[in-house]
Amino acid sequence: MSQHILTAVAWPYANGPRHIGHVSGFGVPSDVFSRYQRMAGNKVLMVSGTDEHGTPIQVQADKEGLTARELADRYNRVIVEDLQALGLSYDLFTRTTTENHYAVTQEIFKGLHANGYIFPQTTMGAISPSTGRTLPDRYIEGTCPICGYESARGDQCDNCGNQLDPIQLIDPVSKVNGETPIFVETEHFMLDLPAFAEVLASWLSSKEGDWRPNVLKFALNMLGDMHPRAISRDLDWGVPIPLEGWSDQANKRLYVWFDAVIGYLSASIEWARRSGDPEAWRQWWQDPEALGYYFMGKDNIVFHAEIWPAMLLGYNGQGARDGEPGSLGALNLPSEVVSSEFLTMEGRKFSSSRSVVIYVRDFLERYDADALRYYIAVAGPENQDTDFTWSEFLNRNNGELVAAWGNLVNRSISMAAKNFGVIPEAGELSDADRAMLERSRAAFPKVAAEFQHCRFKNATNEAFEVIREANRYLAEQEPWKIKDDPARVKTILHVALQVVDDAKTLLTPVLPNSSNKIYAMLGGTGVWSGMPEIQEVTDDDGRTYPIITGSYDGAARWESSPIRVGSPLAPPTPLFVKLDPKIVEEELARLGE
């Protein structure tokens, strides 16, 4: 039975290009999941966009001599082009500076406020002495007052996991310029998180056994330290506060984290409008049978496993103060928060300032998108911190993509094309033939179960086991040595080509580009697995910007389909590029190693 599946992908921040560490957390895993779900017959809505508000945008804009909007426009386009080139199949990748996003964000605020979950409070805000601007919590560092960690951020300590306020830090300093911030009284709106502690505890406890243990443990641990959290800031770049006496204040805006998580909903609503059915979003947000999967790095767990669910509960009127759903109606909570761990590079944290980084664009200028997708799937930070090294990338590309998968495809199609020119029919099957075909077919439910539970490494490795067995099958059968039994050669090559076709399907979520090539090599017509495209659209205020969208209704289905006997075959071109070992030295030199 078909289900509606929402794939809610973390919003990359538009203050610069994204590096491969970013896409290993939110990008590739979400796309692998979405492609599998579409192949399984489910109705997927994959949405995200660039996160464009907040002080960090202003800080970077000052450095580059631009306005905040100009900077956001620049990096929105860079990020859109990079994610499209990586093959991420968004139904809509938009941005948070649209009229639609402003309207949806303000509606969520009004619903929470009407139900009593938002209240004003005088607090101490951090200000830069040199600029007079508000410093965002994440741009202040100091010693954690709870565990003593010396690099705690103003919003959270990454060592002990506790939520913090900047004024709690010992010896706080600005990450922008190293100066000591000053704290002044200011009035802000607060989200009453403690009002959701009980309902969140019940909801999170119900996820035992379904969520990744690291995510659930982190979220449950946070419940004991919940306190009201500011949702507004003193700045002029952001969504205006939709209340009388506040909306016209030039220096009061909704906090960037508050509007960013609402982007999942606003993007769904924008997609529905662009699809021609403005109410279509409700199938993913209000159908009780619909499922919602949220993908991000582990530094965003608190926002997606606690704060965003709390906002949804409050809007629905389901917190300690009850209430009524807002004008949009009751909204679904996440079904699963799929958080990856961190990716480091050659043993160090990614750092643009120290050149310990490779941006997505630079990577794709030198290497195949599928090679990066494969590396992330099999060696990425799925459930533990992982180190990217160029030597491992080289070995996996050459030893697995080229020598195992590419070799199987090339050998099988080349021999069949040379000897018969078409996909040959099978004669009488031997025990070895039947065993190979059964092994290939049996992989489908196994790999499906791993994809379904977001275990992408296991899924990809299981598919590659089929490939390795197929290579062993060919080596044992030696069709190139058989001179006097063409029927036997046909049978062996038919079996090999059937397994190639099956493995192509099994790997389509991870390797869509190369799977499309194999589909065409084996005589497939039309589109196998749809790829994203960039479209220029115009907002209600007349501003033009790029979005990622696409039609993903190709022929790809999660099943073993009989290959088409008699389909013409041509000698194949190499599926993957074998890399020169010298690239390791070259890339390390770029890192200053």
Side-chain angles (χ1 to χ4, degrees), residues 500-516:
V500 165
D501 191 67
D502 286 351
K504 168 265 300 175
T505 302
L506 294 169
L507 287 170
T508 292
V510 178
L511 305 174
N513 295 287
S514 50
S515 294
N516 281 333

mmCIF file of all heavy atoms in Angstrom, residues 500-516:
data_model
loop_
_atom_site.group_PDB
_atom_site.id
_atom_site.type_symbol
_atom_site.label_atom_id
_atom_site.label_comp_id
_atom_site.label_asym_id
_atom_site.label_seq_id
_atom_site.Cartn_x
_atom_site.Cartn_y
_atom_site.Cartn_z
ATOM 1 N N VAL A 500 23.535 -7.957 -13.490
ATOM 2 C CA VAL A 500 23.904 -6.551 -13.700
ATOM 3 C C VAL A 500 22.664 -5.663 -13.613
ATOM 4 O O VAL A 500 22.667 -4.612 -12.959
ATOM 5 C CB VAL A 500 24.605 -6.370 -15.060
ATOM 6 C CG1 VAL A 500 24.662 -4.887 -15.455
ATOM 7 C CG2 VAL A 500 26.017 -6.947 -15.007
ATOM 8 N N ASP A 501 21.604 -6.092 -14.256
ATOM 9 C CA ASP A 501 20.371 -5.306 -14.232
ATOM 10 C C ASP A 501 19.811 -5.222 -12.812
ATOM 11 O O ASP A 501 19.362 -4.164 -12.369
ATOM 12 C CB ASP A 501 19.339 -5.923 -15.172
ATOM 13 C CG ASP A 501 18.149 -5.004 -15.400
ATOM 14 O OD1 ASP A 501 18.334 -3.946 -16.025
ATOM 15 O OD2 ASP A 501 17.042 -5.337 -14.932
ATOM 16 N N ASP A 502 19.831 -6.340 -12.092
ATOM 17 C CA ASP A 502 19.356 -6.337 -10.710
ATOM 18 C C ASP A 502 20.206 -5.414 -9.833
ATOM 19 O O ASP A 502 19.677 -4.621 -9.040
ATOM 20 C CB ASP A 502 19.402 -7.752 -10.127
ATOM 21 C CG ASP A 502 18.301 -8.647 -10.663
ATOM 22 O OD1 ASP A 502 17.390 -8.140 -11.361
ATOM 23 O OD2 ASP A 502 18.357 -9.871 -10.384
ATOM 24 N N ALA A 503 21.515 -5.537 -9.954
ATOM 25 C CA ALA A 503 22.405 -4.725 -9.126
ATOM 26 C C ALA A 503 22.258 -3.245 -9.452
ATOM 27 O O ALA A 503 22.348 -2.386 -8.559
ATOM 28 C CB ALA A 503 23.849 -5.176 -9.311
ATOM 29 N N LYS A 504 22.027 -2.947 -10.729
ATOM 30 C CA LYS A 504 21.753 -1.566 -11.120
ATOM 31 C C LYS A 504 20.560 -1.020 -10.347
ATOM 32 O O LYS A 504 20.568 0.109 -9.857
ATOM 33 C CB LYS A 504 21.513 -1.506 -12.632
ATOM 34 C CG LYS A 504 20.933 -0.206 -13.170
ATOM 35 C CD LYS A 504 19.409 -0.252 -13.309
ATOM 36 C CE LYS A 504 18.944 -1.332 -14.258
ATOM 37 N NZ LYS A 504 17.462 -1.442 -14.287
ATOM 38 N N THR A 505 19.513 -1.836 -10.219
ATOM 39 C CA THR A 505 18.322 -1.422 -9.485
ATOM 40 C C THR A 505 18.617 -1.268 -7.998
ATOM 41 O O THR A 505 18.226 -0.282 -7.366
ATOM 42 C CB THR A 505 17.192 -2.439 -9.690
ATOM 43 O OG1 THR A 505 16.917 -2.553 -11.096
ATOM 44 C CG2 THR A 505 15.933 -2.022 -8.972
ATOM 45 N N LEU A 506 19.320 -2.258 -7.432
ATOM 46 C CA LEU A 506 19.657 -2.206 -6.009
ATOM 47 C C LEU A 506 20.468 -0.960 -5.652
ATOM 48 O O LEU A 506 20.341 -0.408 -4.562
ATOM 49 C CB LEU A 506 20.444 -3.455 -5.605
ATOM 50 C CG LEU A 506 19.711 -4.798 -5.671
ATOM 51 C CD1 LEU A 506 20.701 -5.942 -5.496
ATOM 52 C CD2 LEU A 506 18.608 -4.873 -4.607
ATOM 53 N N LEU A 507 21.303 -0.515 -6.586
ATOM 54 C CA LEU A 507 22.195 0.613 -6.314
ATOM 55 C C LEU A 507 21.671 1.947 -6.822
ATOM 56 O O LEU A 507 22.313 2.979 -6.619
ATOM 57 C CB LEU A 507 23.571 0.341 -6.940
ATOM 58 C CG LEU A 507 24.416 -0.705 -6.213
ATOM 59 C CD1 LEU A 507 25.633 -1.076 -7.040
ATOM 60 C CD2 LEU A 507 24.830 -0.199 -4.834
ATOM 61 N N THR A 508 20.505 1.955 -7.453
ATOM 62 C CA THR A 508 19.974 3.207 -7.992
ATOM 63 C C THR A 508 19.848 4.307 -6.941
ATOM 64 O O THR A 508 20.204 5.457 -7.216
ATOM 65 C CB THR A 508 18.616 2.962 -8.680
ATOM 66 O OG1 THR A 508 18.837 2.173 -9.850
ATOM 67 C CG2 THR A 508 17.953 4.274 -9.077
ATOM 68 N N PRO A 509 19.370 4.029 -5.720
ATOM 69 C CA PRO A 509 19.282 5.120 -4.741
ATOM 70 C C PRO A 509 20.629 5.772 -4.434
ATOM 71 O O PRO A 509 20.694 6.977 -4.189
ATOM 72 C CB PRO A 509 18.712 4.423 -3.499
ATOM 73 C CG PRO A 509 17.939 3.264 -4.034
ATOM 74 C CD PRO A 509 18.771 2.779 -5.195
ATOM 75 N N VAL A 510 21.695 4.981 -4.466
ATOM 76 C CA VAL A 510 23.022 5.506 -4.143
ATOM 77 C C VAL A 510 23.722 6.043 -5.388
ATOM 78 O O VAL A 510 24.383 7.083 -5.342
ATOM 79 C CB VAL A 510 23.890 4.401 -3.496
ATOM 80 C CG1 VAL A 510 25.300 4.925 -3.199
ATOM 81 C CG2 VAL A 510 23.232 3.897 -2.224
ATOM 82 N N LEU A 511 23.588 5.338 -6.511
ATOM 83 C CA LEU A 511 24.323 5.661 -7.748
ATOM 84 C C LEU A 511 23.355 5.920 -8.902
ATOM 85 O O LEU A 511 23.313 5.174 -9.878
ATOM 86 C CB LEU A 511 25.257 4.499 -8.100
ATOM 87 C CG LEU A 511 26.242 4.038 -7.028
ATOM 88 C CD1 LEU A 511 26.994 2.799 -7.488
ATOM 89 C CD2 LEU A 511 27.225 5.161 -6.678
ATOM 90 N N PRO A 512 22.570 6.995 -8.838
ATOM 91 C CA PRO A 512 21.561 7.209 -9.887
ATOM 92 C C PRO A 512 22.151 7.506 -11.261
ATOM 93 O O PRO A 512 21.589 7.087 -12.275
ATOM 94 C CB PRO A 512 20.747 8.395 -9.360
ATOM 95 C CG PRO A 512 21.687 9.122 -8.437
ATOM 96 C CD PRO A 512 22.517 8.043 -7.808
ATOM 97 N N ASN A 513 23.276 8.223 -11.312
ATOM 98 C CA ASN A 513 23.858 8.568 -12.611
ATOM 99 C C ASN A 513 24.324 7.327 -13.364
ATOM 100 O O ASN A 513 23.974 7.121 -14.534
ATOM 101 C CB ASN A 513 25.039 9.532 -12.423
ATOM 102 C CG ASN A 513 24.617 10.862 -11.859
ATOM 103 O OD1 ASN A 513 24.012 11.681 -12.532
ATOM 104 N ND2 ASN A 513 24.942 11.090 -10.588
ATOM 105 N N SER A 514 25.114 6.484 -12.693
ATOM 106 C CA SER A 514 25.634 5.290 -13.358
ATOM 107 C C SER A 514 24.520 4.277 -13.601
ATOM 108 O O SER A 514 24.549 3.539 -14.591
ATOM 109 C CB SER A 514 26.771 4.670 -12.547
ATOM 110 O OG SER A 514 26.397 4.495 -11.199
ATOM 111 N N SER A 515 23.519 4.234 -12.743
ATOM 112 C CA SER A 515 22.391 3.325 -12.968
ATOM 113 C C SER A 515 21.615 3.728 -14.216
ATOM 114 O O SER A 515 21.145 2.867 -14.965
ATOM 115 C CB SER A 515 21.476 3.309 -11.744
ATOM 116 O OG SER A 515 22.140 2.753 -10.628
ATOM 117 N N ASN A 516 21.475 5.017 -14.445
ATOM 118 C CA ASN A 516 20.828 5.480 -15.674
ATOM 119 C C ASN A 516 21.616 5.048 -16.913
ATOM 120 O O ASN A 516 21.035 4.673 -17.934
ATOM 121 C CB ASN A 516 20.686 7.006 -15.654
ATOM 122 C CG ASN A 516 19.527 7.476 -14.795
ATOM 123 O OD1 ASN A 516 18.550 6.755 -14.610
ATOM 124 N ND2 ASN A 516 19.622 8.684 -14.271
#
